[in-house]
Amino acid sequence: MGGKFYSVLADPSCNLLKKLPPGVARGVQANDSLATMRISVRLIVAMILGVMLISFVFADSQVQAQKRSLRNDLERRAQVLAESLAVSIEPLLPNDRSKKLGSLVERFGNRERLAGVAVYDSRATLLAMTAGLAGRLHDLPSAVGQALAVGQSRGGFFPLAPAAMHIYVQPLDRDGSLLGALAIFHDAGYIEAQSARIWRQTFRTVLAQALLISLVTLLIVRWSIVGPIAKTAQWLRELRVRGSMQPPNLLEEDLFKPLLHEVRHLTVSLASARAAAEEEARLREASESLWTAERLRIHVQQRLAGSPLLAVSNREPYMHVHRGKSVEVVVPASGLVTALEPILRACDGTWIAHGAGDADRETVDGRDRLRVPPDDPQYPLRRVWLTKEEEQGYYFGFANEGIWPLCHIAHTRPTFRTEDWEQYRRVNQKFAQAVLEEIDGVESPAVLVQDYHFALLPQLVKQERPDARLAIFWHIPWPNPEAFGICPWQREMLEGLLGADLIGFHIQSHCNNFLQTVDSVLESRIEWERFAVNRRDHLTLVRPFPISVEFRETPEGAPAERETILRELGVQNGILGVGVDRVDYTKGIPERFRGIERFLEKFPAYQGRFTFVQIGAPSRTEIPRYRNFCAEVEQEADRINRRFEKGKWKPIVLLKKHHGHREIERLYRAADVCLVTSLHDGMNLVAKEFVAARHDERGVLILSRFTGASRELRDALLVNPYDIEQLAEAIRLALELDPEEARARMRRMRRIVREHNVYRWAATLVTDLSEIPIEETASIKTVGTTA
């Protein structure tokens, strides 16, 4: 069913809308129009209601503020009037009840908005009152009693038909003796009338504003949202029908960037589905068999019979680091990550790794897990936390100052310290505990351990879970027995490795060296015909598994526009060479630079035309040898540039930072030649990445014969990186090679990388692991039994 669906998607003539009956198609379009209209109506109504609600809130606030202002003004006027009138009334109290008091009250009661004046004695008995007020006020106002009781002025509003009334009471005294009280009454109805007038004006203004804002908003929405959405829908339709991958320009605006991010993932997934369907159809036609992510997923499920697959490595595929106030996701520079992640994506396995990012703890759940990749989660990542002391001793110390130079034989003396070995043991135990927790209660799990950081881990896990199938892949070379004998703890390391059921190396010679080392150090039976070690009734198979990369039939990301890339790098148009490495003394970067120097000496016609871009991701800078080597690389590049640079041109552009996979792939596709000059390398995936990126079948690969990749990529120009003359001549030959011969060489190398891709590597490894009989156990141990 899935194959038929993808076949339909892959059909360029597929247009489901066109295949509908005319009436149904018109109905679909009419429904789209009605849906758009309903959305517009809802938007207008929502805008009107929203604007009116907000405006009424502000209007109410304005009316209330106006009311408070008018009331405060009224109270001030009442107070001033009461104080001035009290001066005239006090001499007439307490005995004068003549007409003079009444006349005085009547005269003041005729003022604007003054409802009346009243005079009371100390017992709150009315002495005089304005005639107009006497017919309306029948009861003694409470403010009068309060003012007489406390001997202080009182004021307030109270209802009195036909409108609200304000009263202000001023006590009258003479020589400290309370004589009575003067009450000033103001008609406060005008305050409510003015507030109502403001409300009416606000309503009309708000209504006009709402209609105008809604109209303008509707126009903006149709211009900036509905229009781009319509173009997006058209683009998706073209994507579905014709496979168009270029999104509309309007989607680049900030408003649509989240949508563009997700839609791009959708287009990549759809393109991958089409490519897989087309490739599947082509392979069926040609009776070929190509390993893909989907095929690997099904293969692993069948081989492992549903048992989970766990991968263990020191380096995690995704780090979370702080960048200012935000958290950023970083993909570490690592060939292991390049090779291993497609397998985890395909199998939904669990990746256990050291959480090295300073924001890693903020992104995991209570079990130290999260699903990755962050933008398209496909498998869980379990992070293991190490202290600074553990990381320094285990990783920078024993692993990279001891085992790494020991195995690479790259003229750097290995350093072994007892305290580093203790940290190495402790970290291996910590990772083993994490593995046991992840497989707790699971029958017959499969564990794939990665590299020289975990030589002790297979035995630690096997002791607790004999039913687990364990494989370890050693990504670096294995030296001869004499060289490995330098390690003071070679016996412990070999015993730890032999806890695995399967040990993988890149090439056969590394397998031979390992078996010879075991034979010379441990009491065991080496079965050379099977390439296996039998020790203490446990059989460990030793096999070569040349690792590879993911091979895409179509390029990922933007096409390689040579001029654009050169401009971004600040390189003048001309011939472009590229090198991509971690800054490591095993990669032969200074030798490469000296080869370029000799090339420019011997062939001066290329001066000003040939530019070499070296991407050098800093690595292990906590180790003094690496810090010194970084400085050495930079000094060598500067020396050669000073010697040859002319104007804006310089022969070597050194980029000392980590670059993403897509950036590097664009550079691969733009380069005329790629130099891989490792002094000693288990495989070197840069060589295979360059070949896989050259969909145009152009470009020439110069490859060190001391790499594992040289066993497969025979059509590369193989060199001895220590031979500077040979390296210079290889660069000339690469640039002057007949284009047809260069294409033929690249075509043959691409076929090898395509057929022996990373999925085939993983499938072969899992197949050999799954065929190993596991030990029967009475019961599955849990992590509680782990020491």
Side-chain angles (χ1 to χ4, degrees):
M1 182 68 181
K4 293 181 180 179
F5 171 72
Y6 286 132
S7 297
V8 172
L9 288 178
D11 182 5
S13 64
C14 173
N15 190 328
L16 298 180
L17 188 59
K18 289 181 179 179
K19 292 181 178 181
L20 292 173
V24 177
R26 285 194 297 271
V28 171
Q29 294 171 351
N31 287 337
D32 289 343
S33 300
L34 289 174
T36 303
M37 185 179 297
R38 284 196 296 269
I39 292 173
S40 299
V41 170
R42 286 199 299 267
L43 181 62
I44 292 174
V45 172
M47 284 295 302
I48 291 176
L49 293 178
V51 171
M52 292 184 70
L53 178 61
I54 295 173
S55 299
F56 280 135
V57 169
F58 281 105
D60 181 68
S61 175
Q62 182 181 355
V63 168
Q64 296 302 325
Q66 183 71 11
K67 274 187 176 182
R68 287 193 297 271
S69 177
L70 292 173
R71 288 187 173 191
N72 292 336
D73 181 64
L74 181 59
E75 289 175 349
R76 285 194 300 271
R77 287 192 287 111
Q79 181 181 0
V80 171
L81 179 60
E83 290 175 352
S84 63
L85 186 56
V87 175
S88 303
I89 293 178
E90 282 178 359
L92 303 178
L93 296 178
N95 299 320
D96 191 349
R97 298 176 183 267
S98 65
K99 293 182 180 181
K100 187 175 181 180
L101 182 59
S103 175
L104 183 62
V105 168
E106 286 293 340
R107 187 171 74 252
F108 277 93
N110 294 327
R111 296 195 174 188
E112 181 184 5
R113 291 179 181 170
L114 187 63
V117 178
V119 180
Y120 299 87
D121 63 12
S122 60
R123 297 179 180 179
T125 302
L126 181 65
L127 300 178
M129 179 180 288
T130 305
L133 184 62
R136 298 168 59 190
L137 187 65
H138 304 291
D139 299 321
L140 178 70
S142 60
V144 175
Q146 294 172 4
L148 290 172
V150 299
Q152 295 179 354
S153 59
R154 285 289 183 271
F157 293 85
F158 66 98
L160 183 65
M165 187 72 69
H166 177 265
I167 183 175
Y168 183 85
V169 182
Q170 174 71 39
L172 303 173
D173 58 21
R174 182 187 301 156
D175 300 329
S177 175
L178 184 64
L179 303 177
L182 170 64
I184 306 295
F185 295 87
H186 279 93
D187 188 353
Y190 74 96
I191 296 178
E192 295 299 329
Q194 192 163 339
S195 298
R197 186 169 61 256
I198 293 174
W199 269 116
R200 287 193 299 272
Q201 293 174 349
T202 301
F203 178 78
R204 289 193 294 268
T205 303
V206 165
L207 184 60
Q209 289 177 343
L211 292 175
L212 182 60
I213 291 174
S214 299
L215 178 60
V216 172
T217 302
L218 181 61
L219 293 175
I220 293 174
V221 166
R222 290 187 66 85
W223 175 57
S224 61
I225 298 179
V226 176
I229 288 177
K231 291 187 178 182
T232 303
Q234 179 64 27
W235 169 50
L236 291 175
R237 189 175 298 114
E238 292 177 358
L239 173 68
R240 174 171 52 82
V241 176
R242 292 187 291 272
S244 172
M245 294 292 290
Q246 188 61 34
N249 292 333
L250 287 174
L251 286 185
E252 296 292 346
E253 298 176 3
D254 291 340
L255 179 63
F256 289 94
K257 278 187 177 178
L259 175 64
L260 179 60
H261 180 72
E262 295 301 326
V263 172
R264 274 180 171 158
H265 281 295
L266 175 64
T267 59
V268 171
S269 299
L270 187 55
S272 299
R274 279 203 177 97
E278 292 171 354
E279 183 63 22
E280 182 181 355
R282 192 194 65 77
L283 292 173
R284 284 199 302 268
E285 184 70 21
S287 298
E288 294 181 9
S289 179
L290 180 68
W291 281 98
T292 63
E294 181 64 17
R295 182 181 175 187
L296 175 63
R297 184 182 65 82
I298 296 172
H299 177 79
V300 171
Q301 290 177 351
Q302 292 175 344
R303 282 290 180 173
L304 300 182
S307 297
L309 175 67
L310 281 81
V312 185
S313 70
N314 174 74
R315 182 158 298 181
E316 58 184 335
Y318 297 93
M319 295 172 59
H320 288 84
V321 297
H322 287 109
R323 291 284 189 269
K325 296 182 179 179
S326 62
V327 174
E328 183 178 311
V329 179
V330 174
V331 181
S334 171
L336 183 146
V337 172
T338 302
L340 197 59
E341 204 205 10
I343 304 164
L344 275 296
R345 284 176 179 256
C347 307
D348 192 28
T350 299
W351 192 323
I352 301 176
H354 170 214
D358 58 13
D360 277 355
R361 289 182 184 268
E362 302 171 19
T363 57
V364 296
D365 60 18
R367 297 177 57 196
D368 298 325
R369 301 169 102 242
L370 76 159
R371 290 192 69 84
V372 293
D375 56 350
D376 185 20
Q378 296 185 31
Y379 64 91
L381 169 63
R382 164 73 185 272
R383 285 169 170 160
V384 177
W385 314 115
L386 303 181
T387 65
K388 287 293 184 182
E389 293 75 18
E390 289 173 335
E391 185 178 12
Q392 186 66 39
Y394 138 81
Y395 179 75
F396 295 112
F398 189 80
N400 287 304
E401 286 189 284
I403 298 302
W404 177 269
L406 173 67
C407 289
H408 280 87
I409 316 178
H411 312 299
T412 292
R413 177 181 176 179
T415 302
F416 293 103
R417 292 179 284 264
T418 302
E419 56 271 24
D420 291 345
W421 166 250
E422 291 302 323
Q423 295 291 3
Y424 186 85
R425 289 179 52 196
R426 185 176 294 111
V427 171
N428 271 250
Q429 291 169 351
K430 183 175 288 190
F431 270 86
Q433 180 70 16
V435 172
L436 292 171
E437 290 174 1
E438 292 295 327
I439 63 176
D440 185 21
V442 178
E443 294 186 8
S444 305
V447 182
L448 184 56
V449 184
Q450 301 296 312
D451 229 351
Y452 59 100
H453 309 93
F454 302 111
L456 308 181
L457 191 146
Q459 185 184 47
L460 293 171
V461 174
K462 199 70 172 180
Q463 286 174 346
E464 298 298 325
R465 292 295 301 271
D467 65 311
R469 287 188 173 91
L470 273 161
I472 182 168
F473 190 81
W474 195 268
H475 287 260
I476 62 177
W478 190 277
N480 57 56
E482 291 77 15
F484 196 79
I486 295 174
C487 178
W489 298 281
Q490 59 172 329
R491 175 178 291 273
E492 289 88 340
M493 291 189 65
L494 292 173
E495 287 178 343
L497 288 167
L498 292 175
D501 302 296
L502 178 65
I503 300 176
F505 294 95
H506 287 299
I507 58 178
Q508 184 62 54
S509 63
H510 297 161
C511 299
N512 298 342
N513 287 344
F514 177 79
L515 291 175
Q516 291 170 3
T517 303
V518 173
D519 194 30
S520 65
V521 175
L522 299 179
E523 293 183 5
S524 60
R525 185 170 73 253
I526 306 298
E527 301 182 14
W528 289 99
E529 68 282 357
R530 298 174 60 189
F531 276 88
V533 178
N534 195 326
R535 176 173 167 80
R536 296 174 182 170
D537 297 326
H538 179 256
L539 190 70
T540 301
L541 301 179
V542 182
R543 296 284 188 272
F545 301 101
I547 200 168
S548 191
V549 296
E550 187 177 14
F551 189 93
R552 299 183 184 89
E553 292 297 335
T554 55
E556 183 182 17
E561 299 175 0
R562 182 183 174 88
E563 290 72 19
T564 302
I565 295 173
L566 294 178
R567 188 166 55 252
E568 291 173 357
L569 295 171
V571 176
Q572 294 180 344
N573 291 343
I575 303 169
L576 181 65
V578 64
V580 179
D581 303 272
R582 287 185 303 104
V583 182
D584 189 289
Y585 51 78
T586 66
K587 302 302 180 181
I589 300 175
E591 289 77 8
R592 187 180 311 167
F593 287 175
R594 286 192 281 274
I596 294 170
E597 179 184 27
R598 182 58 180 148
F599 163 71
L600 295 174
E601 282 178 350
K602 293 181 65 175
F603 309 103
Y606 287 99
Q607 294 182 19
R609 297 172 54 206
F610 177 78
T611 302
F612 185 79
V613 176
Q614 174 65 54
I615 293 179
S619 175
R620 304 166 187 165
T621 53
E622 290 81 356
I623 300 175
R625 177 68 182 93
Y626 280 84
R627 287 199 303 272
N628 296 337
F629 182 73
C630 286
E632 178 186 339
V633 168
E634 188 172 3
Q635 290 169 5
E636 194 70 357
D638 290 342
R639 180 186 66 79
I640 297 172
N641 283 337
R642 285 194 301 270
R643 179 180 177 187
F644 291 103
E645 63 185 350
K646 298 177 182 178
K648 294 183 178 180
W649 174 83
K650 58 182 179 180
I652 297 176
V653 176
L654 179 60
L655 304 177
K656 298 186 301 178
K657 67 174 184 176
H658 171 66
H659 287 68
H661 174 76
R662 291 189 178 183
E663 295 176 286
I664 294 174
E665 188 172 8
R666 291 177 67 229
L667 189 57
Y668 283 151
R669 296 201 298 266
D672 297 286
V673 60
C674 176
L675 271 70
V676 177
T677 57
S678 301
L679 305 181
H680 198 190
D681 217 325
M683 176 55 67
N684 194 293
L685 293 179
V686 169
K688 294 187 175 183
E689 287 177 354
F690 174 72
V691 170
R694 295 315 297 246
H695 300 273
D696 58 357
E697 296 182 344
R698 296 182 179 179
V700 179
L701 174 64
I702 298 176
L703 180 60
S704 166
R705 61 185 178 88
F706 302 129
T707 63
S710 66
R711 271 72 169 177
E712 297 178 87
L713 304 179
R714 295 290 184 178
D715 281 290
L717 300 183
L718 301 181
V719 297
N720 175 1
Y722 294 97
D723 189 340
I724 303 304
E725 291 292 332
Q726 186 187 50
L727 189 54
E729 184 61 30
I731 296 174
R732 182 201 64 80
L733 178 60
L735 300 181
E736 297 178 1
L737 196 65
D738 179 72
E740 287 304 316
E741 181 183 351
R743 280 178 178 271
R745 285 172 174 264
M746 182 58 71
R747 191 178 300 117
R748 289 192 292 267
M749 289 191 292
R750 281 179 58 79
R751 184 172 64 250
I752 291 172
V753 175
R754 177 176 172 273
E755 294 175 358
H756 297 80
N757 60 23
V758 69
Y759 300 116
R760 179 170 177 170
W761 171 79
T764 307
L765 191 58
V766 170
T767 298
D768 285 7
L769 181 62
S770 66
E771 291 177 349
I772 297 174
I774 59 173
E775 300 179 29
E776 298 293 333
T777 55
S779 62
I780 298 175
K781 293 184 179 182
T782 63
V783 294
T785 63
T786 305

